[in-house]
Amino acid sequence: MTWPRRLAYVAAIALAAAGLDQASKWLMLEIVLNPPEPVALTPFLNLRLGFNTGVSFGLFREMLEAWPGLLGLFKFAAGFGLLAWAALAGHRLERIGLSLMAGGAFGNAIDRWRQGAVTDFLDLHWGDWHWPTFNGADIALTLGVVLMLLAALPSRERSRAARKNRSCSRVVSARRR
């Protein structure tokens, strides 16, 4: 695949992830959670509106509230860096994973730039224990990391090639003796 085609491919995945994230946030803000009252979907999943001014899980909230644009700018830069890495990646799963991570970064960066905080609305819980509220961009980021980990696992072809190379080197070593 040529460089321009790869770049278009990874950009399309990132734009789709960011677009779905922004569409879901708009839907929650304007229709589903307007007014912002929690909605129980299942015994372990609620829709609950939240705004994160910090980094992941609200970390450094106090420090970053004064400069929401700074974190948004950093996330945009990280997203473009991930896109470049994705376009250069040799493994398909790695390209898709990095593209999803870039789309997630863009989705959350748009929120920070527009409203100074990331809109979160998915509330996973078990009884009274609640995971920090998250959104579609966070799902894209997590899925991207999972795909990157899967891409790092040895594939059957690579394992077979490594075994073949080892057996060939043993034969060559035996002949030299």
Side-chain angles (χ1 to χ4, degrees):
M1 190 180 297
T2 65
W3 169 256
R5 286 187 62 119
R6 270 190 189 200
L7 194 55
Y9 175 75
V10 298
I13 293 170
L15 285 173
L20 286 171
D21 171 65
Q22 288 297 301
S24 67
K25 289 173 181 173
W26 175 85
L27 184 67
M28 292 299 138
L29 284 169
E30 298 298 324
I31 298 171
V32 177
L33 296 173
N34 191 5
E37 296 174 13
V39 176
L41 296 178
T42 69
F44 57 88
L45 178 65
N46 298 335
L47 296 177
R48 184 180 61 161
L49 193 57
F51 297 95
N52 182 3
T53 56
V55 190
S56 298
F57 308 117
L59 296 172
F60 310 112
R61 177 185 2 240
E62 298 81 23
M63 190 169 66
L64 293 167
E65 274 183 314
W67 302 306
L70 182 65
L71 192 52
L73 189 61
F74 174 76
K75 287 192 175 203
F76 274 120
F80 284 115
L82 288 165
L83 272 182
W85 183 7
L88 295 170
H91 196 281
R92 188 168 144 229
L93 281 180
E94 190 178 2
R95 275 195 301 275
I96 294 169
L98 289 163
S99 300
L100 287 172
M101 291 165 61
F106 290 142
N108 283 339
I110 291 167
D111 278 8
R112 291 202 184 276
W113 204 260
R114 249 182 348 111
Q115 62 196 24
V118 173
T119 302
D120 290 323
F121 57 88
L122 294 168
D123 173 32
L124 275 178
H125 61 91
W126 185 261
D128 290 336
W129 179 84
H130 290 261
W131 183 259
T133 309
F134 60 100
N135 58 44
D138 299 330
I139 293 170
L141 284 161
T142 303
L143 184 58
V145 168
V146 168
L147 291 177
M148 289 290 294
L149 291 172
L150 288 174
L153 292 174
S155 69
R156 286 184 187 171
E157 292 81 29
R158 282 185 278 183
S159 296
R160 196 176 308 130
R163 281 193 305 274
K164 184 178 179 183
N165 287 339
R166 280 193 301 263
S167 65
C168 287
S169 63
R170 286 184 198 134
V171 169
V172 169
S173 299
R175 287 183 183 167
R176 288 184 184 164
R177 291 183 196 164

